[in-house]
Amino acid sequence: MSFERLVSMISLVWFLGGGLWLLISPNSFVKFASLGTRPNLLPNQINKARVFGCVGLVIGLIIVLELVNGYIR
């Protein structure tokens, strides 16, 4: 496996998994990412986290399309 493909797979897990997790449960994602030092999010912050989750899903889907179509060799 080439280095570029390995980086793409790691990026795929990071963006697709993180984006999905942000959409499902933004509070638990922030607690995990801050190692439990951050309290619960405010409603305004939850909306921003969901927007970032959508962006992460879009980037993850772009990576999937690149891997499927073979742009990264």
Side-chain angles (χ1 to χ4, degrees), residues 3-4 6 10 19 22 34 38 44-45 56 58-59:
F3 179 71
E4 291 85 8
L6 178 67
I10 292 171
L22 270 173
S34 66
R38 181 160 177 119
N44 188 24
Q45 292 172 326
V58 168
I59 292 172

Side-chain angles (χ1 to χ4, degrees), residues 1-66:
M1 181 183 296
S2 68
F3 179 71
E4 291 85 8
R5 196 154 182 90
L6 178 67
V7 169
S8 296
M9 296 302 282
I10 292 171
S11 298
L12 175 67
V13 171
W14 178 262
F15 284 110
L16 206 58
L20 190 63
W21 194 4
L22 270 173
L23 286 176
I24 293 172
S25 179
N27 279 327
S28 66
F29 180 84
V30 171
K31 282 184 181 180
F32 172 77
S34 66
L35 300 175
T37 59
R38 181 160 177 119
N40 288 336
L41 297 175
L42 301 174
N44 188 24
Q45 292 172 326
I46 290 176
N47 291 336
K48 289 178 185 177
R50 292 214 167 123
V51 168
F52 285 129
C54 290
V55 170
L57 282 178
V58 168
I59 292 172
L61 291 175
I62 290 171
I63 294 170
V64 166
L65 287 174
E66 287 186 15

